[in-house]
Amino acid sequence: MRIAVIIPDYPPIIGGAEIFASEIYKRLSKNNEVHIITRLPTRGTFSRNNLAYVELPQHEKINENLHIHRVRYIDVADIRLLSSFLPIYKKTLQVIKDHNIDIIHSIMIYPAAIAGAMARNKLKKPHFFTEQGFLVDVIRNEKTITELYFGILKPFLRYAIRNADRIHSVSIGVDNKIKSLVPINKTIIIPNGVDTKKFLPGIKADIRQRYNIPEKNKIVVTISRLVHKNGIEYLIQALKIVSQKHPDTTFLIVGGGPLRDSLSNFSKELGLKNVIFTEHIPSEDTPKFLAASDIFTRPSLTEGFGISFVEAMSAGLAVIATDAIKDYNIINHLKTGLIVRSKDANGLAESLNLLLENESLRKKLGKAARKDALARFDWDSIASQLEYEMQRLLEQTKQKS
């Protein structure tokens, strides 16, 4: 297949969708020609993600089959998604024509799936749409994208859904949200994944030495973009409670994002001495942070899926999540992890204390989580499932024409 992939951002910008695209197309580009159409990150993009600026080319050939096409846009708050739409759409049309593309794969509903839907209708190419969670995420002021700007985007979102030939949701929550906007029967649910050969229990890690963490200390880690939807302020409140009972526990808050400074200041205001903010880390360091830790948590307010959870499971950690993912069939409460209510700092503190004080339970959950990750979330299997579904859609389209 020759595949045009549309996604707002792509590594080195990192989030769940970006990890998904990178992992899937690292694998699918072995046997398929892949062209990724994305935004050219500005200095502001790098700064918002706590990354050092790197000047990237507008076209980059990663290997014989994998190409990245980056488009310039106006990077200003409230218009950056809008301003990138037309350049992404134009580049998509150009790539489809220049490379005789067979199928369009859009990742994230806005602006990618809208551009994909328009390209589908103009050039008569099948459109495979993956929604990672933008529809369910709280974007700003406790509102989702369907609620922002007085709901003005809803017709465009519905257009994207109606003009996708197959819709891939990463969880039942995302699938339900799509069907609440447009009643359809063309969706499939395939979860996100993890590289189980890379995220391993007990791999060599220098994290304790790097941050001067005593060997006797237990380590609780969260790896997240520091944005509102990930609920890190509630984690910090919980850590205040936990540190009073377990002063020999170190808390690692790993990742960058726009709330980094305010969260760090909040931690200082609470007098927390054993919390370490690491800034953004290279993706190759993520397995090391997990391997060095004893417990993983992320008290999400909303989640489309949550790749960080399955990475922690693959690393054999006891995981604490919130009810934002309780219906997603990722964590089985008391079997492969613990589920607490979102926005409940006291409940999160109780679960952290339970695992810190009960080593046998902590190890039991971690071992079961690793086994589950191997069985259900390996990226090789996820990529194969997606390739099959795209090939099936392509064959169905050819039969109709």
Side-chain angles (χ1 to χ4, degrees):
M1 289 184 293
R2 292 178 292 273
I3 311 167
V5 182
I6 314 171
I7 183 169
D9 294 308
Y10 192 76
I13 307 305
I14 291 293
E18 293 79 19
I19 293 171
F20 165 83
S22 176
E23 292 290 346
I24 292 300
Y25 284 105
K26 178 168 62 177
R27 289 161 173 80
L28 295 197
S29 62
K30 292 175 182 177
N31 298 307
N32 304 280
E33 183 180 327
V34 178
H35 294 266
I36 292 170
I37 300 134
T38 189
R39 301 185 295 190
L40 178 66
T42 65
R43 289 183 182 275
T45 311
F46 280 95
S47 177
R48 286 191 300 276
N49 288 275
N50 297 108
L51 293 168
Y53 176 71
V54 177
E55 187 172 353
L56 297 171
Q58 286 189 266
H59 176 260
E60 185 175 4
K61 185 177 180 179
I62 305 301
N63 59 45
E64 195 60 35
N65 283 336
L66 182 57
H67 302 258
I68 303 175
H69 308 265
R70 300 183 178 96
V71 301
R72 297 185 185 277
Y73 69 106
I74 300 170
D75 185 13
V76 177
D78 285 324
I79 69 165
R80 62 176 62 100
L81 282 177
L82 193 62
S83 71
S84 64
F85 168 74
L86 194 57
I88 284 175
Y89 173 61
K90 286 182 175 179
K91 179 58 73 173
T92 300
L93 296 182
Q94 180 189 335
V95 167
I96 290 172
K97 292 174 183 177
D98 290 351
H99 299 280
N100 194 22
I101 294 297
D102 297 311
I103 189 168
I104 303 163
H105 181 194
S106 61
I107 302 170
M108 306 299 280
I109 195 163
Y110 189 84
I114 298 173
M118 290 178 64
R120 165 204 186 251
N121 292 338
K122 184 174 180 64
L123 299 179
K124 310 304 178 188
K125 299 291 182 180
H127 179 207
F128 188 96
F129 160 39
T130 291
E131 180 50 45
Q132 282 282 327
F134 196 43
L135 274 172
V136 299
D137 285 344
V138 173
I139 307 298
R140 190 182 309 148
N141 300 326
E142 301 293 328
K143 293 182 178 179
T144 65
I145 190 172
T146 59
E147 298 162 332
L148 282 178
Y149 313 121
F150 306 101
I152 197 171
L153 293 176
K154 265 190 180 180
F156 300 98
L157 306 180
R158 289 188 173 118
Y159 170 83
I161 293 168
R162 290 192 181 102
N163 290 280
D165 299 290
R166 187 86 80 252
I167 298 177
H168 160 223
S169 304
V170 296
S171 67
I172 187 67
V174 170
D175 201 62
N176 288 340
K177 184 64 176 181
I178 288 170
K179 290 174 179 175
S180 74
L181 287 168
V182 181
I184 49 171
N185 60 359
K186 55 185 176 182
T187 64
I188 55 173
I189 299 174
I190 300 172
N192 280 326
V194 61
D195 187 339
T196 56
K197 302 177 190 70
K198 177 179 170 184
F199 288 85
L200 291 162
I203 62 172
K204 189 175 180 180
D206 62 351
I207 304 305
R208 286 184 182 271
Q209 294 78 12
R210 195 184 304 183
Y211 295 100
N212 296 314
I213 301 171
E215 286 296 326
K216 67 181 178 65
N217 283 27
K218 294 287 187 295
I219 298 177
V220 175
V221 67
T222 188
I223 301 176
S224 305
R225 284 200 72 235
L226 301 183
V227 293
H228 176 64
K229 81 175 192 73
N230 287 329
I232 305 302
E233 64 267 36
Y234 298 99
L235 173 59
I236 292 171
Q237 290 173 28
L239 300 186
K240 174 68 174 178
I241 300 168
V242 175
S243 62
Q244 292 169 354
K245 196 171 184 181
H246 298 281
D248 56 349
T249 300
T250 298
F251 307 102
L252 288 173
I253 297 179
V254 180
L259 297 184
R260 198 268 181 198
D261 289 343
S262 63
L263 290 169
S264 177
N265 289 336
F266 181 43
S267 174
K268 290 173 185 174
E269 288 169 10
L270 293 181
L272 289 168
K273 307 291 186 185
N274 49 354
V275 176
I276 298 171
F277 285 81
T278 70
E279 300 280 1
H280 175 82
I281 61 165
S283 59
E284 58 267 22
D285 272 4
T286 303
K288 297 177 184 177
F289 276 88
L290 292 172
S293 300
D294 300 282
I295 300 167
F296 175 88
T297 185
R298 183 159 83 190
S300 319
L301 309 185
T302 62
E303 283 286 357
F305 181 81
I307 287 176
S308 290
F309 295 111
V310 293
E311 289 177 343
M313 291 169 67
S314 182
L317 288 188
V319 175
I320 304 174
T322 71
D323 51 13
I325 67 163
K326 72 174 183 179
D327 297 325
Y328 291 8
N329 195 26
I330 300 172
I331 292 170
N332 190 335
H333 182 57
L334 292 175
K335 292 186 177 179
T336 58
L338 301 178
I339 302 286
V340 301
R341 290 178 301 176
S342 63
K343 300 184 180 181
D344 183 4
N346 289 326
L348 178 56
E350 287 178 13
S351 290
L352 284 167
N353 282 332
L354 172 65
L355 292 183
L356 286 168
E357 293 160 11
N358 192 330
E359 184 178 4
S360 63
L361 176 61
R362 193 170 68 241
K363 289 185 175 180
K364 176 185 173 185
L365 293 177
K367 186 176 180 180
R370 168 69 181 171
K371 184 178 179 181
D372 198 29
L374 285 166
R376 297 196 293 136
F377 298 119
D378 188 87
W379 273 128
D380 289 342
S381 172
I382 303 301
S384 294
Q385 292 176 62
L386 287 166
E387 183 177 35
Y388 168 78
E389 291 293 344
M390 281 191 270
Q391 287 175 333
R392 190 161 72 98
L393 173 59
L394 188 56
E395 287 303 314
Q396 290 171 347
T397 304
K398 287 178 180 178
Q399 289 170 11
K400 289 179 183 177
S401 61

